Amino acid sequence: MTGGSPVSSRRSRPSRAVIRRRRLIVALISVLAVALLAVVSTIAVHALLGGGQDKATAAGTTSTPTPKPTPLTPVQALLKTAADPATACAVSFAGDGIEHAPILQTSGVLFTGLPIPEKAGSVFAGWYPTPETAATQVQTDRVNGSQLTTCTDHQRTLYAAWTTPEQNTATASKIPILMYHQFTTKPGGEDSWLRNNYVYIEDFKAQMDYVASQKFYMPTWDELNAFIDGKLFLPQHSLIITDDDADPTWLQLAVPVVTERKLLTTSFVITGERKEGSPSPYVLQRSHTNDMHRAGDNGKGRMVNLSADEVAADLEESAKVLGAKEVIAYPYGHYNATAEEGVTKAGFMLARTIDFGYVKIGTNKLQLPVVRINYGDTVNGLKNNIG
């Protein structure tokens, strides 16, 4: 028979199930082939890119570096150190010959530690808020530690003014240091052996009104120190106000008066008796010794009865309480060479007596004179003494 057997023909034809398996196998092979091709392509691309980077590096060409943070300015770096960022103020300094770094101040607190620069052939004439005011040197524009710190956006710049040594000498400024003690509300004064010490409070108000209205320049103690050395110009219209003992009548009656008028005042405190902080933003507390405001063996103050080392130790104790040295006031105004040695050993630069006079260039720094204000002294008497 030709054409083959029908039975044989059916046996050679694959079944539907076989065909489906074959198709599935082919599909799987195709998928694997595509996946393998993708992997190979990725490897090739990475190799190509890596090779390109290697070639670029070899050719001296680098890729774009990651940007680095912009370095902080000195002012920005200083502000980051502030304990209270809300009140921090970075004060910078500018002007001819000025190379001082900015310093950190606190808004609403008296300026402190403003530098007193030096320049050959010149005398420093103070800090001013603008280059224009530094050029004109109007006294009322001058900025110093008698004023509360103010800032814009936590920073400001002060500009240096200069004068000549000849002009500084020719001005011949005489700086009065006013000395007060106690205060009374009695127009007739106190009836005691200390009567002369008690200034009638209404007289004091009138005196402080005069000082405020006349806009006296209020030097700080470091400024007075530099003035004595001839390194700082102070205008004739300058004045320092002090009170001895930090008596309760000073705290209750007089402190509100100087605070209201924004007048810088120094209270000389006996730290063995008072350890509280300053009662006002405008009142500096400085040393009236720790425990030497009492009589020694010869009836005079202990300041002139102790050794220089003992004087120094007492003043060091006082400085710990006050957090400042700068200046002391001799108890009872008693001092001698040994007392002066003790003041120097303790690191104080100035000492105030009760001797009448004015501070001038060259004045003995350990014998600063004063203008004493007594009971019965009126504003007219003050005008005669301070101009």
Side-chain angles (χ1 to χ4, degrees), residues 176-180 204 207-208 211 218-219 221 239-243 250 258 263-268 284 352:
I177 300 176
L178 303 185
M179 180 180 66
Y180 292 88
F204 182 67
Q207 292 164 3
M208 295 302 101
V211 170
M218 304 282 187
W221 294 106
L239 174 71
I240 294 176
I241 305 168
T242 70
D243 172 84
W250 154 254
V258 296
L263 298 175
L264 180 68
T265 310
T266 296
S267 175
F268 287 110
L284 305 176
R352 202 219 63 196

PDB file of all heavy atoms in Angstrom, residues 176-180 204 207-208 211 218-219 221 239-243 250 258 263-268 284 352:
ATOM      1  N   PRO A 176      36.280 115.960  86.912  1.00  0.00           N
ATOM      2  CA  PRO A 176      35.819 115.866  88.302  1.00  0.00           C
ATOM      3  C   PRO A 176      35.220 114.495  88.598  1.00  0.00           C
ATOM      4  O   PRO A 176      34.491 113.928  87.782  1.00  0.00           O
ATOM      5  CB  PRO A 176      34.754 116.957  88.401  1.00  0.00           C
ATOM      6  CG  PRO A 176      34.258 117.138  87.009  1.00  0.00           C
ATOM      7  CD  PRO A 176      35.369 116.749  86.079  1.00  0.00           C
ATOM      8  N   ILE A 177      35.552 113.962  89.771  1.00  0.00           N
ATOM      9  CA  ILE A 177      34.918 112.748  90.284  1.00  0.00           C
ATOM     10  C   ILE A 177      34.055 113.172  91.470  1.00  0.00           C
ATOM     11  O   ILE A 177      34.573 113.581  92.516  1.00  0.00           O
ATOM     12  CB  ILE A 177      35.950 111.705  90.739  1.00  0.00           C
ATOM     13  CG1 ILE A 177      36.862 111.297  89.574  1.00  0.00           C
ATOM     14  CG2 ILE A 177      35.247 110.468  91.310  1.00  0.00           C
ATOM     15  CD1 ILE A 177      37.969 110.328  89.976  1.00  0.00           C
ATOM     16  N   LEU A 178      32.747 113.117  91.317  1.00  0.00           N
ATOM     17  CA  LEU A 178      31.848 113.493  92.407  1.00  0.00           C
ATOM     18  C   LEU A 178      31.786 112.368  93.434  1.00  0.00           C
ATOM     19  O   LEU A 178      31.739 111.190  93.065  1.00  0.00           O
ATOM     20  CB  LEU A 178      30.444 113.780  91.878  1.00  0.00           C
ATOM     21  CG  LEU A 178      30.298 114.859  90.803  1.00  0.00           C
ATOM     22  CD1 LEU A 178      28.816 115.087  90.497  1.00  0.00           C
ATOM     23  CD2 LEU A 178      30.964 116.163  91.224  1.00  0.00           C
ATOM     24  N   MET A 179      31.775 112.733  94.714  1.00  0.00           N
ATOM     25  CA  MET A 179      31.694 111.737  95.783  1.00  0.00           C
ATOM     26  C   MET A 179      30.492 112.031  96.671  1.00  0.00           C
ATOM     27  O   MET A 179      30.408 113.078  97.316  1.00  0.00           O
ATOM     28  CB  MET A 179      32.965 111.748  96.632  1.00  0.00           C
ATOM     29  CG  MET A 179      32.934 110.733  97.775  1.00  0.00           C
ATOM     30  SD  MET A 179      34.452 110.743  98.795  1.00  0.00           S
ATOM     31  CE  MET A 179      34.365 112.375  99.553  1.00  0.00           C
ATOM     32  N   TYR A 180      29.548 111.072  96.700  1.00  0.00           N
ATOM     33  CA  TYR A 180      28.392 111.143  97.584  1.00  0.00           C
ATOM     34  C   TYR A 180      28.493 110.032  98.630  1.00  0.00           C
ATOM     35  O   TYR A 180      29.264 109.078  98.479  1.00  0.00           O
ATOM     36  CB  TYR A 180      27.095 110.960  96.792  1.00  0.00           C
ATOM     37  CG  TYR A 180      26.769 112.091  95.834  1.00  0.00           C
ATOM     38  CD1 TYR A 180      27.251 112.079  94.523  1.00  0.00           C
ATOM     39  CD2 TYR A 180      25.963 113.156  96.237  1.00  0.00           C
ATOM     40  CE1 TYR A 180      26.943 113.116  93.640  1.00  0.00           C
ATOM     41  CE2 TYR A 180      25.645 114.192  95.362  1.00  0.00           C
ATOM     42  CZ  TYR A 180      26.148 114.166  94.066  1.00  0.00           C
ATOM     43  OH  TYR A 180      25.842 115.196  93.197  1.00  0.00           O
ATOM     44  N   PHE A 204      19.880 116.411  95.314  1.00  0.00           N
ATOM     45  CA  PHE A 204      20.518 115.420  94.447  1.00  0.00           C
ATOM     46  C   PHE A 204      19.790 115.320  93.107  1.00  0.00           C
ATOM     47  O   PHE A 204      20.423 115.264  92.046  1.00  0.00           O
ATOM     48  CB  PHE A 204      20.538 114.054  95.147  1.00  0.00           C
ATOM     49  CG  PHE A 204      21.210 112.967  94.354  1.00  0.00           C
ATOM     50  CD1 PHE A 204      22.573 113.002  94.095  1.00  0.00           C
ATOM     51  CD2 PHE A 204      20.474 111.892  93.859  1.00  0.00           C
ATOM     52  CE1 PHE A 204      23.189 111.998  93.366  1.00  0.00           C
ATOM     53  CE2 PHE A 204      21.080 110.884  93.137  1.00  0.00           C
ATOM     54  CZ  PHE A 204      22.451 110.936  92.884  1.00  0.00           C
ATOM     55  N   GLN A 207      20.732 118.245  90.993  1.00  0.00           N
ATOM     56  CA  GLN A 207      22.097 118.099  90.497  1.00  0.00           C
ATOM     57  C   GLN A 207      22.155 117.110  89.328  1.00  0.00           C
ATOM     58  O   GLN A 207      22.813 117.365  88.315  1.00  0.00           O
ATOM     59  CB  GLN A 207      23.014 117.653  91.635  1.00  0.00           C
ATOM     60  CG  GLN A 207      23.219 118.707  92.703  1.00  0.00           C
ATOM     61  CD  GLN A 207      23.795 118.139  93.990  1.00  0.00           C
ATOM     62  OE1 GLN A 207      24.112 116.950  94.085  1.00  0.00           O
ATOM     63  NE2 GLN A 207      23.922 118.985  95.006  1.00  0.00           N
ATOM     64  N   MET A 208      21.459 115.993  89.464  1.00  0.00           N
ATOM     65  CA  MET A 208      21.469 114.995  88.400  1.00  0.00           C
ATOM     66  C   MET A 208      20.690 115.476  87.165  1.00  0.00           C
ATOM     67  O   MET A 208      21.038 115.132  86.034  1.00  0.00           O
ATOM     68  CB  MET A 208      20.900 113.660  88.904  1.00  0.00           C
ATOM     69  CG  MET A 208      21.758 113.002  89.994  1.00  0.00           C
ATOM     70  SD  MET A 208      23.482 112.654  89.494  1.00  0.00           S
ATOM     71  CE  MET A 208      24.369 114.038  90.261  1.00  0.00           C
ATOM     72  N   VAL A 211      23.240 117.563  85.338  1.00  0.00           N
ATOM     73  CA  VAL A 211      24.219 116.711  84.649  1.00  0.00           C
ATOM     74  C   VAL A 211      23.603 116.107  83.389  1.00  0.00           C
ATOM     75  O   VAL A 211      24.220 116.093  82.321  1.00  0.00           O
ATOM     76  CB  VAL A 211      24.722 115.602  85.599  1.00  0.00           C
ATOM     77  CG1 VAL A 211      25.551 114.570  84.824  1.00  0.00           C
ATOM     78  CG2 VAL A 211      25.538 116.193  86.737  1.00  0.00           C
ATOM     79  N   MET A 218      30.458 110.666  80.208  1.00  0.00           N
ATOM     80  CA  MET A 218      30.722 109.851  81.386  1.00  0.00           C
ATOM     81  C   MET A 218      31.803 108.817  81.089  1.00  0.00           C
ATOM     82  O   MET A 218      31.527 107.742  80.558  1.00  0.00           O
ATOM     83  CB  MET A 218      29.432 109.130  81.819  1.00  0.00           C
ATOM     84  CG  MET A 218      28.253 110.044  82.085  1.00  0.00           C
ATOM     85  SD  MET A 218      28.457 110.821  83.693  1.00  0.00           S
ATOM     86  CE  MET A 218      26.886 111.658  83.849  1.00  0.00           C
ATOM     87  N   PRO A 219      33.060 109.105  81.412  1.00  0.00           N
ATOM     88  CA  PRO A 219      34.128 108.144  81.110  1.00  0.00           C
ATOM     89  C   PRO A 219      34.011 106.886  81.976  1.00  0.00           C
ATOM     90  O   PRO A 219      33.540 106.939  83.121  1.00  0.00           O
ATOM     91  CB  PRO A 219      35.415 108.909  81.465  1.00  0.00           C
ATOM     92  CG  PRO A 219      35.012 110.335  81.637  1.00  0.00           C
ATOM     93  CD  PRO A 219      33.570 110.316  82.055  1.00  0.00           C
ATOM     94  N   TRP A 221      36.196 103.714  83.851  1.00  0.00           N
ATOM     95  CA  TRP A 221      37.462 103.731  84.586  1.00  0.00           C
ATOM     96  C   TRP A 221      38.642 103.369  83.700  1.00  0.00           C
ATOM     97  O   TRP A 221      39.744 103.909  83.875  1.00  0.00           O
ATOM     98  CB  TRP A 221      37.381 102.806  85.801  1.00  0.00           C
ATOM     99  CG  TRP A 221      36.398 103.299  86.816  1.00  0.00           C
ATOM    100  CD1 TRP A 221      35.161 102.795  87.089  1.00  0.00           C
ATOM    101  CD2 TRP A 221      36.556 104.442  87.686  1.00  0.00           C
ATOM    102  NE1 TRP A 221      34.532 103.534  88.064  1.00  0.00           N
ATOM    103  CE2 TRP A 221      35.362 104.553  88.456  1.00  0.00           C
ATOM    104  CE3 TRP A 221      37.578 105.368  87.883  1.00  0.00           C
ATOM    105  CZ2 TRP A 221      35.180 105.551  89.409  1.00  0.00           C
ATOM    106  CZ3 TRP A 221      37.393 106.367  88.835  1.00  0.00           C
ATOM    107  CH2 TRP A 221      36.224 106.454  89.585  1.00  0.00           C
ATOM    108  N   LEU A 239      32.616 113.847  83.274  1.00  0.00           N
ATOM    109  CA  LEU A 239      32.258 113.777  84.688  1.00  0.00           C
ATOM    110  C   LEU A 239      32.093 112.319  85.118  1.00  0.00           C
ATOM    111  O   LEU A 239      31.560 111.498  84.380  1.00  0.00           O
ATOM    112  CB  LEU A 239      30.934 114.522  84.915  1.00  0.00           C
ATOM    113  CG  LEU A 239      30.301 114.448  86.302  1.00  0.00           C
ATOM    114  CD1 LEU A 239      31.121 115.261  87.295  1.00  0.00           C
ATOM    115  CD2 LEU A 239      28.860 114.973  86.255  1.00  0.00           C
ATOM    116  N   ILE A 240      32.557 112.017  86.342  1.00  0.00           N
ATOM    117  CA  ILE A 240      32.360 110.694  86.943  1.00  0.00           C
ATOM    118  C   ILE A 240      31.593 110.878  88.248  1.00  0.00           C
ATOM    119  O   ILE A 240      31.925 111.743  89.057  1.00  0.00           O
ATOM    120  CB  ILE A 240      33.697 109.977  87.193  1.00  0.00           C
ATOM    121  CG1 ILE A 240      34.382 109.662  85.857  1.00  0.00           C
ATOM    122  CG2 ILE A 240      33.486 108.688  87.989  1.00  0.00           C
ATOM    123  CD1 ILE A 240      35.759 109.035  86.005  1.00  0.00           C
ATOM    124  N   ILE A 241      30.561 110.062  88.445  1.00  0.00           N
ATOM    125  CA  ILE A 241      29.732 110.121  89.658  1.00  0.00           C
ATOM    126  C   ILE A 241      29.998 108.880  90.496  1.00  0.00           C
ATOM    127  O   ILE A 241      29.948 107.761  89.974  1.00  0.00           O
ATOM    128  CB  ILE A 241      28.235 110.190  89.314  1.00  0.00           C
ATOM    129  CG1 ILE A 241      27.947 111.362  88.369  1.00  0.00           C
ATOM    130  CG2 ILE A 241      27.390 110.302  90.574  1.00  0.00           C
ATOM    131  CD1 ILE A 241      26.554 111.320  87.766  1.00  0.00           C
ATOM    132  N   THR A 242      30.287 109.068  91.794  1.00  0.00           N
ATOM    133  CA  THR A 242      30.512 107.913  92.670  1.00  0.00           C
ATOM    134  C   THR A 242      29.750 108.074  93.974  1.00  0.00           C
ATOM    135  O   THR A 242      29.410 109.186  94.391  1.00  0.00           O
ATOM    136  CB  THR A 242      32.010 107.729  93.010  1.00  0.00           C
ATOM    137  OG1 THR A 242      32.449 108.790  93.873  1.00  0.00           O
ATOM    138  CG2 THR A 242      32.866 107.713  91.751  1.00  0.00           C
ATOM    139  N   ASP A 243      29.493 106.936  94.604  1.00  0.00           N
ATOM    140  CA  ASP A 243      28.887 106.909  95.939  1.00  0.00           C
ATOM    141  C   ASP A 243      29.672 105.911  96.786  1.00  0.00           C
ATOM    142  O   ASP A 243      30.052 104.837  96.312  1.00  0.00           O
ATOM    143  CB  ASP A 243      27.428 106.476  95.867  1.00  0.00           C
ATOM    144  CG  ASP A 243      26.843 106.263  97.250  1.00  0.00           C
ATOM    145  OD1 ASP A 243      26.410 107.237  97.868  1.00  0.00           O
ATOM    146  OD2 ASP A 243      26.850 105.098  97.734  1.00  0.00           O
ATOM    147  N   TRP A 250      21.271 105.223  99.780  1.00  0.00           N
ATOM    148  CA  TRP A 250      21.729 105.277  98.386  1.00  0.00           C
ATOM    149  C   TRP A 250      20.873 104.349  97.535  1.00  0.00           C
ATOM    150  O   TRP A 250      20.379 104.737  96.469  1.00  0.00           O
ATOM    151  CB  TRP A 250      23.204 104.892  98.307  1.00  0.00           C
ATOM    152  CG  TRP A 250      23.639 104.319  96.992  1.00  0.00           C
ATOM    153  CD1 TRP A 250      23.918 103.017  96.718  1.00  0.00           C
ATOM    154  CD2 TRP A 250      23.845 105.020  95.747  1.00  0.00           C
ATOM    155  NE1 TRP A 250      24.282 102.847  95.398  1.00  0.00           N
ATOM    156  CE2 TRP A 250      24.242 104.062  94.787  1.00  0.00           C
ATOM    157  CE3 TRP A 250      23.723 106.350  95.358  1.00  0.00           C
ATOM    158  CZ2 TRP A 250      24.524 104.401  93.463  1.00  0.00           C
ATOM    159  CZ3 TRP A 250      24.009 106.685  94.040  1.00  0.00           C
ATOM    160  CH2 TRP A 250      24.403 105.719  93.111  1.00  0.00           C
ATOM    161  N   VAL A 258      19.441 108.179  89.392  1.00  0.00           N
ATOM    162  CA  VAL A 258      20.434 108.037  88.316  1.00  0.00           C
ATOM    163  C   VAL A 258      19.949 107.071  87.242  1.00  0.00           C
ATOM    164  O   VAL A 258      20.276 107.222  86.060  1.00  0.00           O
ATOM    165  CB  VAL A 258      21.809 107.587  88.873  1.00  0.00           C
ATOM    166  CG1 VAL A 258      22.372 108.657  89.801  1.00  0.00           C
ATOM    167  CG2 VAL A 258      21.727 106.242  89.579  1.00  0.00           C
ATOM    168  N   LEU A 263      22.276 107.808  83.985  1.00  0.00           N
ATOM    169  CA  LEU A 263      23.595 108.352  84.307  1.00  0.00           C
ATOM    170  C   LEU A 263      24.481 107.255  84.897  1.00  0.00           C
ATOM    171  O   LEU A 263      24.140 106.646  85.924  1.00  0.00           O
ATOM    172  CB  LEU A 263      23.463 109.504  85.299  1.00  0.00           C
ATOM    173  CG  LEU A 263      22.663 110.720  84.821  1.00  0.00           C
ATOM    174  CD1 LEU A 263      22.522 111.734  85.951  1.00  0.00           C
ATOM    175  CD2 LEU A 263      23.317 111.351  83.597  1.00  0.00           C
ATOM    176  N   LEU A 264      25.619 107.014  84.268  1.00  0.00           N
ATOM    177  CA  LEU A 264      26.561 106.017  84.770  1.00  0.00           C
ATOM    178  C   LEU A 264      27.100 106.458  86.130  1.00  0.00           C
ATOM    179  O   LEU A 264      27.558 107.584  86.300  1.00  0.00           O
ATOM    180  CB  LEU A 264      27.720 105.840  83.796  1.00  0.00           C
ATOM    181  CG  LEU A 264      28.783 104.809  84.213  1.00  0.00           C
ATOM    182  CD1 LEU A 264      28.195 103.403  84.164  1.00  0.00           C
ATOM    183  CD2 LEU A 264      30.016 104.911  83.325  1.00  0.00           C
ATOM    184  N   THR A 265      27.017 105.566  87.103  1.00  0.00           N
ATOM    185  CA  THR A 265      27.461 105.861  88.461  1.00  0.00           C
ATOM    186  C   THR A 265      28.229 104.663  88.993  1.00  0.00           C
ATOM    187  O   THR A 265      27.921 103.527  88.660  1.00  0.00           O
ATOM    188  CB  THR A 265      26.262 106.142  89.383  1.00  0.00           C
ATOM    189  OG1 THR A 265      25.400 107.092  88.768  1.00  0.00           O
ATOM    190  CG2 THR A 265      26.704 106.669  90.729  1.00  0.00           C
ATOM    191  N   THR A 266      29.221 104.933  89.845  1.00  0.00           N
ATOM    192  CA  THR A 266      29.961 103.857  90.505  1.00  0.00           C
ATOM    193  C   THR A 266      29.634 103.863  91.992  1.00  0.00           C
ATOM    194  O   THR A 266      29.761 104.896  92.658  1.00  0.00           O
ATOM    195  CB  THR A 266      31.469 104.017  90.315  1.00  0.00           C
ATOM    196  OG1 THR A 266      31.788 103.895  88.927  1.00  0.00           O
ATOM    197  CG2 THR A 266      32.232 102.946  91.090  1.00  0.00           C
ATOM    198  N   SER A 267      29.212 102.714  92.485  1.00  0.00           N
ATOM    199  CA  SER A 267      28.958 102.545  93.912  1.00  0.00           C
ATOM    200  C   SER A 267      30.111 101.742  94.496  1.00  0.00           C
ATOM    201  O   SER A 267      30.357 100.606  94.091  1.00  0.00           O
ATOM    202  CB  SER A 267      27.635 101.803  94.132  1.00  0.00           C
ATOM    203  OG  SER A 267      27.433 101.541  95.511  1.00  0.00           O
ATOM    204  N   PHE A 268      30.837 102.347  95.452  1.00  0.00           N
ATOM    205  CA  PHE A 268      31.947 101.648  96.103  1.00  0.00           C
ATOM    206  C   PHE A 268      31.387 100.846  97.276  1.00  0.00           C
ATOM    207  O   PHE A 268      30.884 101.406  98.262  1.00  0.00           O
ATOM    208  CB  PHE A 268      33.016 102.642  96.551  1.00  0.00           C
ATOM    209  CG  PHE A 268      33.812 103.200  95.398  1.00  0.00           C
ATOM    210  CD1 PHE A 268      33.670 104.519  95.010  1.00  0.00           C
ATOM    211  CD2 PHE A 268      34.679 102.379  94.685  1.00  0.00           C
ATOM    212  CE1 PHE A 268      34.400 105.027  93.938  1.00  0.00           C
ATOM    213  CE2 PHE A 268      35.417 102.873  93.608  1.00  0.00           C
ATOM    214  CZ  PHE A 268      35.271 104.205  93.236  1.00  0.00           C
ATOM    215  N   LEU A 284      27.682 100.763  88.378  1.00  0.00           N
ATOM    216  CA  LEU A 284      28.800  99.836  88.504  1.00  0.00           C
ATOM    217  C   LEU A 284      29.106  99.656  89.985  1.00  0.00           C
ATOM    218  O   LEU A 284      29.136 100.629  90.739  1.00  0.00           O
ATOM    219  CB  LEU A 284      30.045 100.389  87.811  1.00  0.00           C
ATOM    220  CG  LEU A 284      29.932 100.780  86.338  1.00  0.00           C
ATOM    221  CD1 LEU A 284      31.244 101.407  85.869  1.00  0.00           C
ATOM    222  CD2 LEU A 284      29.570  99.577  85.490  1.00  0.00           C
ATOM    223  N   ARG A 352      40.814 105.758  94.495  1.00  0.00           N
ATOM    224  CA  ARG A 352      40.218 107.080  94.704  1.00  0.00           C
ATOM    225  C   ARG A 352      40.331 107.505  96.162  1.00  0.00           C
ATOM    226  O   ARG A 352      40.032 106.735  97.078  1.00  0.00           O
ATOM    227  CB  ARG A 352      38.744 107.034  94.286  1.00  0.00           C
ATOM    228  CG  ARG A 352      38.126 108.377  93.933  1.00  0.00           C
ATOM    229  CD  ARG A 352      36.722 108.459  94.454  1.00  0.00           C
ATOM    230  NE  ARG A 352      36.718 108.392  95.917  1.00  0.00           N
ATOM    231  CZ  ARG A 352      35.646 108.136  96.647  1.00  0.00           C
ATOM    232  NH1 ARG A 352      34.497 107.894  96.060  1.00  0.00           N
ATOM    233  NH2 ARG A 352      35.719 108.095  97.973  1.00  0.00           N
TER     234      ARG A 352
END
